[in-house]
Amino acid sequence: MKRLLLAALASAGASVFAAETPQHLNTYREAYGATKGTVSVDPARDLPRYPAVEPKDAIATWKVKAGFRLELAAAEPLVRDPIAVTFDENGRMFVCEMIDYSEERDRNPHLGRISVVEDTNGDGIYDKSTVFADNLPWPTGLVWAKGGLFVGATPDIWRFEDRDGDGKAEVREKVLTGFGSGLARLNVQALLNSFMWGQDNRVHVQTSSGSRGKIKNLKRPDMPEIELGGRGFWFDPVTYETGFEGG
C-alpha cells in the first residue's frame, strides 16, 4: 500500500492567536482605492462561512485517494499562516509564514517569518517550534541548501544560517535583489515563489508574467544586472551563478 506523508498544516480555533493577531493598518479600499466596477456579490450573504476545525479533527475533513494516507504533522500554535515548507538533512521542517498577507507589508518590523519545527521524540509528529528568522516582508518561498536556508522576500533573496545550533539564524545575508523593482505597486499574488531543486543541481524559482526588475547578484559583482522580464529564474547555491528561463 502506497503511503504518502503530508505535512497537514491544519487550522485550530481562531481564538488561539487572538492575542497576537495584529490590527490592520489599513483597509483594502485605503490600500488600493475604491472599486470602479459594480459590486454584484454581497460577501455576508453570498459567500459561505466555515467554522474553524481543531487539529485532531482536521484529517476527517479531507478526501484522500485510495491507497494513500494523510497524517497530521504540525498545526497551530507550532506554525502560523504557512504557505511553503522545505526540509533539511536532519528532517527539520522550515515553514514560511506569511503573517503579513495581504495588506500588512509595510508594518515595521515586518511580520513575515520562518519557523523551524522539529520532532524531538521520534514519533513522527513535530512538537517543537522556533522562530528561525523574522522581519521579512511578504516571504513567499524557501529552500535548504548547503547548510543554509535561502528565502525569497521581494525584492530580495536572503541566506540564513544557524552556526551555534540554537535554532535561530545568526547569519542574515542578502544574496540577490531587484525582484519587483521599478513596478508602481507590487502584486501580492505575483511574487517570486516555489523554490525547487532541479536535476541540474540548481534552485529554480517561479515568477509571473508581470514580474519585472533588474536582478543584482550581490555575491557575484562580476555578473551584470539583467532585467527579469517575466521569466523564470535559477541560481546555484554553491557558485551563485544565476540565469533565466521561460515558463
Side-chain angles (χ1 to χ4, degrees):
M1 177 179 181
K2 295 180 180 178
R3 184 168 179 263
L4 179 63
L5 176 62
L6 297 180
L9 305 175
S11 294
S15 61
V16 173
F17 292 107
E20 63 172 300
T21 299
Q23 296 298 312
H24 286 287
L25 292 175
N26 52 47
T27 65
Y28 186 92
R29 176 189 289 265
E30 291 169 337
Y32 301 106
T35 180
K36 298 179 180 179
T38 301
V39 179
S40 58
V41 174
D42 179 355
R45 183 193 66 212
D46 300 326
L47 299 181
R49 295 292 188 270
Y50 296 96
V53 179
E54 292 295 330
K56 64 183 179 60
D57 302 320
I59 297 297
T61 67
W62 289 69
K63 291 184 179 180
V64 183
K65 188 174 181 180
F68 292 85
R69 185 169 71 186
L70 184 67
E71 296 179 353
L72 178 64
E76 298 162 330
L78 292 182
V79 294
R80 178 180 174 190
D81 295 328
I83 64 165
V85 300
T86 190
F87 299 87
D88 72 1
E89 62 274 14
N90 297 310
R92 298 186 301 172
M93 180 168 67
F94 292 82
V95 184
C96 184
E97 298 175 304
M98 198 178 183
I99 301 171
D100 49 354
Y101 179 87
S102 63
E103 282 102 47
E104 295 294 325
R105 176 183 170 87
D106 294 332
R107 185 180 287 270
N108 192 20
H110 299 294
L111 300 174
R113 69 188 187 189
I114 308 298
S115 289
V116 55
V117 293
E118 303 173 70
D119 172 15
T120 61
N121 58 13
D123 66 352
I125 299 176
Y126 291 103
D127 51 63
K128 178 184 177 182
S129 179
T130 306
V131 176
F132 186 76
D134 58 9
N135 193 20
L136 292 165
W138 283 350
T140 48
L142 73 175
V143 68
W144 180 265
K146 202 170 176 59
L149 186 72
F150 290 85
V151 177
T154 301
D156 309 312
I157 293 180
W158 297 83
R159 183 183 182 277
F160 296 97
E161 185 178 348
D162 170 21
R163 291 183 175 174
D164 62 8
D166 65 352
K168 302 176 182 180
E170 297 81 40
V171 176
R172 181 186 182 113
E173 181 182 19
K174 186 186 299 184
V175 296
L176 294 154
T177 191
F179 295 91
S181 59
L183 294 175
R185 185 173 65 200
L186 292 175
N187 180 353
V188 69
Q189 309 292 351
L191 305 173
L192 73 165
N193 63 90
S194 302
F195 286 41
M196 299 292 293
W197 279 105
Q199 293 182 336
D200 54 3
N201 286 324
R202 296 165 172 169
V203 175
H204 296 258
V205 180
Q206 184 173 330
T207 62
S208 73
S209 59
S211 294
R212 294 291 184 270
K214 283 203 168 185
I215 310 306
K216 183 176 182 179
N217 192 328
L218 303 178
K219 298 290 289 185
R220 292 284 301 273
D222 57 304
M223 298 187 69
E225 296 183 31
I226 301 179
E227 169 62 42
L228 180 61
R231 295 173 290 177
F233 178 80
W234 61 261
F235 68 93
D236 186 319
V238 177
T239 66
Y240 291 97
E241 180 184 4
T242 61
F244 301 88
E245 57 197 357

